[in-house]
């Protein structure tokens, strides 16, 4: 049990009915999870409003309510605390409830459209190899040193974040690397956390269904840097036109990295091939298994972060050379028939363009590039024709298919992708709603030395349709189809 007064420390209160001098068991923002003596935080979401479930929460035993508007009917013995922003209040309360665990380790936030998972995951791996106890909060998984936990969101809710940070603190974890999505930042899930540093990778078209404008999307990510303390570092990609914007108002120590511009940390690509690439960083050559220009930026951001956190530069270069690619990020398989299949999470126009341009730079010119791509349902529709345009402009053949249709008819999504195809490229396109059939068709169309790109789902091992998730793994499927292929 924790004191409600202590949990509310740092939360801006606008009205209080009842006492805060009481003990509470847990913090809940889902009324279905409320138990005796819990405090219920009413969150206004996109699908529902927690204020509509206050009575239900009290009926289940909640003895305190945090809300943005006091109910008309107040129940005796229940404390009501009105705040201006329950999302922010929840994050601060969660941090207090778990005794501010982010203060006990060095928490590094990674934000940007592309590269968040790769940078955070490989930083986790590098610091583990360097002998430290390390934590990871990412799209793919949550790691408390060697123990793995499942995750459903790029940035988990504030309670989940602080719970796992508290586990890390108990385990003596020294560093934690955390993906910070624009949704998570905008929904105040990172409020109350003490960051030792933040990394900006890049910014391109994504999530405009949520943020409504590119400026809103950019500013959500910028908030992470605006709130950094003076003791932290802010590391930004100078080759991205938004790189300097991220650093404008931060109190943190400012550092930059780039391949093309003048920056504190610079790298040069010397060689690039399917087995990896040779980079030059700080006048030292580094062979890395990570492929493509976009990964050169990721490697440089990791190198810079390790240096800013005090690791020896030469030791960092050695460890970087040992790192393997992250699951679903330019993950490839070469069949006995010499067909190369690449699975990548590229689900934004910029990411798809980066992957296809990387493939183009690696091919000899005689191979066909066959791209299988879809777009997620119930998400930013404006990027669909752009994705269609990029795929058909940079591929020899394209199969439009389903990604995670969610509640939208796949045919409608595919039709919107087809709208971006230029007339001269229409003959390249096939549309097959069933993703597994689309993958099989791509394999059947491929000849020796051809390259198949499966874009959009990457590490995901499910497909979501009308609220149901079924097992679906691009990499496993294409690998099996190519093994069974009789050519």
């Amino acid at each position: 049990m924790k004191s409600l007064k202590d949990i509310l420390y740092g939360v801006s209160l606008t009205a209080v009915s009842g006492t805060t001098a009481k003990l509470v068991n847990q913090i809940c923002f889902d009324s279905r999870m409320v138990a005796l003596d819990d405090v219920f935080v009413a969150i206004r979401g996109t699908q529902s409003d927690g204020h509509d479930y206050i009575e239900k929460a009290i009926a289940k035993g909640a003895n305190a309510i945090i809300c943005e508007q006091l109910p008309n009917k107040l129940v005796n013995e229940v404390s009501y605390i009105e705040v201006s922003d329950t999302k922010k209040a929840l994050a601060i309360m969660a941090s207090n409830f778990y005794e501010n665990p982010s203060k006990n380790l060095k928490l590094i936030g990674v934000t940007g459209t592309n590269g968040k998972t790769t940078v955070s995951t490989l930083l986790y791996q590098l610091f583990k190899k360097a002998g430290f106890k390390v934590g990871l909060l990412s799209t793919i998984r949550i790691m408390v040193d060697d123990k793995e936990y499942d995750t459903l969101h790029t940035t988990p809710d504030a309670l989940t974040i602080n719970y796992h940070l508290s586990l890390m603190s108990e385990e003596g974890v020294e560093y934690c690397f955390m993906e910070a999505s624009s949704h998570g930042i905008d929904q105040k899930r990172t409020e109350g956390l003490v960051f030792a540093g933040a990394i900006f990778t890049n910014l391109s078209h994504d999530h405009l269904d949520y943020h409504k404008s590119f400026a809103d999307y950019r500013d959500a990510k910028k908030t992470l840097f605006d709130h950094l303390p003076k003791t932290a570092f802010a590391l930004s990609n100078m080759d991205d036109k938004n790189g300097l914007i991220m650093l404008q108002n931060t109190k943190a120590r400012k550092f930059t990295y780039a391949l093309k511009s003048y920056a504190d940390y610079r790298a040069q690509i010397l060689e690039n091939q399917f087995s990896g690439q040779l980079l030059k960083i700080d006048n030292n050559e580094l062979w890395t298994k990570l492929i493509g220009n976009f990964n050169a930026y990721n490697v440089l951001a990791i190198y810079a972060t390790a240096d800013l956190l005090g690791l020896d530069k030469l030791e960092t270069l050695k460890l970087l050379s040992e790192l393997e690619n992250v699951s679903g990020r330019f993950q490839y398989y070469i069949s006995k028939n010499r067909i190369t299949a690449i699975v990548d999470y590229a689900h934004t126009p910029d990411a798809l363009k980066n992957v296809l341009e990387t493939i183009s730079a690696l091919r000899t010119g005689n191979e066909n590039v066959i791209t299988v791509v879809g777009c997620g349902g119930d998400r930013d529709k404006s990027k669909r024709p752009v994705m269609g345009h990029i795929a058909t402009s940079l591929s020899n053949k394209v199969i439009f298919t389903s990604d995670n249709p969610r509640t939208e008819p796949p045919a409608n999504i595919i039709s919107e992708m087809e709208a971006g195809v230029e007339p001269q490229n229409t003959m390249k396109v096939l549309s097959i709603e069933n993703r597994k059939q689309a993958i099989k068709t791509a394999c059947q169309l491929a000849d020796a030395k051809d390259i198949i790109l499966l874009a959009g789902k990457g590490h995901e091992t499910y497909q979501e349709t009308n609220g149901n998730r079924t097992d679906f793994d691009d990499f496993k499927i294409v690998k099996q189809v190519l093994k069974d292929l009789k050519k």
Side-chain angles (χ1 to χ4, degrees), residues 162-274:
N162 281 281
Y163 168 71
H164 288 100
L165 286 174
S166 70
L167 294 181
M168 293 178 199
S169 179
E170 290 170 9
E171 286 292 318
V173 164
E174 296 174 71
Y175 299 94
C176 176
F177 301 100
M178 171 184 172
E179 289 188 50
S181 70
S182 57
H183 287 74
I185 297 168
D186 184 66
Q187 292 171 11
K188 311 294 173 63
R189 298 178 200 169
T190 56
E191 289 282 341
L193 299 180
V194 179
F195 285 93
I199 305 163
F200 169 70
T201 58
N202 51 63
L203 200 65
S204 62
H205 188 135
D206 199 18
H207 300 307
L208 298 191
D209 56 321
Y210 177 87
H211 293 287
K212 307 307 178 190
S213 75
F214 189 84
D216 287 346
Y217 175 48
R218 177 199 65 209
D219 291 346
K221 292 187 177 296
K222 185 177 179 297
T223 301
L224 179 65
F225 293 85
D226 292 347
H227 290 174
L228 289 175
K230 290 180 181 179
T231 52
F233 68 81
L235 176 65
S236 188
N237 180 358
M238 273 296 289
D239 285 344
D240 189 285
K241 62 184 179 182
N242 295 286
L244 279 178
I245 294 175
M246 294 294 150
L247 302 178
Q248 278 179 352
N249 301 317
T250 187
K251 298 173 186 174
R253 297 171 291 127
K254 302 175 185 179
F255 298 92
T256 55
Y257 68 99
L259 299 184
K260 302 171 185 175
S261 312
Y262 176 79
D264 297 303
Y265 296 92
R266 297 198 69 223
Q268 180 183 355
I269 300 173
L270 302 179
E271 292 180 29
N272 206 349
Q273 50 192 272
F274 263 118

Side-chain angles (χ1 to χ4, degrees), residues 26 48-49 118 159 165 181 198 214 234 253 256 274 282 321 406 412 450 469:
Q26 295 285 342
S48 62
D49 185 348
T118 297
L159 286 169
L165 286 174
S181 70
F214 189 84
R253 297 171 291 127
T256 55
F274 263 118
D282 274 356
S321 70
R406 299 184 177 89
N412 292 2
D450 283 352
R469 287 190 174 189

Side-chain angles (χ1 to χ4, degrees), residues 304-364:
T305 302
D307 182 51
L308 291 169
L309 290 174
L311 265 63
D312 178 77
K313 290 182 178 182
L314 292 178
E315 175 70 5
T316 297
L317 290 169
K318 175 182 175 293
L319 295 174
L320 275 169
S321 70
E322 299 171 2
L323 297 179
E324 300 285 345
N325 217 336
V326 177
S327 174
R329 269 65 176 178
F330 216 93
Q331 186 177 9
Y332 68 92
Y333 169 75
I334 302 174
S335 74
K336 61 184 179 182
N337 301 319
R338 293 178 297 152
I339 296 169
T340 300
I342 299 167
V343 172
D344 195 273
Y345 189 51
H347 63 288
T348 67
D350 192 53
L352 182 62
K353 182 171 180 282
N354 284 340
V355 171
L356 284 168
E357 286 181 345
T358 295
I359 292 170
S360 179
L362 296 174
R363 61 194 287 224
T364 64

